[in-house]
């Protein structure tokens, strides 16, 4: 029941305040090996910019030390 407004991989990030279609993002990633270029997002960001956006729940997974003292 959550609205996912951002997602990233090692190559870049996606953001859409209206919410991302996660099954479509995952299908895009399977086909393209990255979330970068997904046509259904309002904006593409770098990973650091995604971490600075306001959110209720942040789930940092996959890349060690992505969250640090400068962006926490």
């Amino acid at each position: 029941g959550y609205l996912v407004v951002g997602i990233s991989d090692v190559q870049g990030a996606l953001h859409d305040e209206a919410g991302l279609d996660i099954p479509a993002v995952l299908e895009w990633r399977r086909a393209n090996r990255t979330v970068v270029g997904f046509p259904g997002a309002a904006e593409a960001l770098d990973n650091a910019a995604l971490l600075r956006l306001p959110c209720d729940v942040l789930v940092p997974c996959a890349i060690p030390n992505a969250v640090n003292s400068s962006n926490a």
Side-chain angles (χ1 to χ4, degrees):
Y2 288 96
L3 181 67
V4 177
V5 298
I7 192 169
S8 69
D9 63 19
V10 69
Q11 296 179 27
L14 306 173
H15 177 253
D16 194 325
E17 276 298 315
L20 294 164
D21 179 349
I22 296 303
V25 171
L26 294 176
E27 183 59 36
W28 174 269
R29 187 173 189 294
R30 275 191 285 280
N32 297 282
R33 302 186 66 160
T34 182
V35 298
V36 174
F38 175 70
E43 63 182 329
L45 303 169
D46 63 33
N47 291 330
L50 183 67
L51 288 175
R52 289 190 299 270
L53 294 174
C55 65
D56 293 326
V57 177
L58 175 65
V59 182
C61 347
I63 299 175
N65 303 314
V67 177
N68 55 54
S69 61
S70 67
N71 64 16

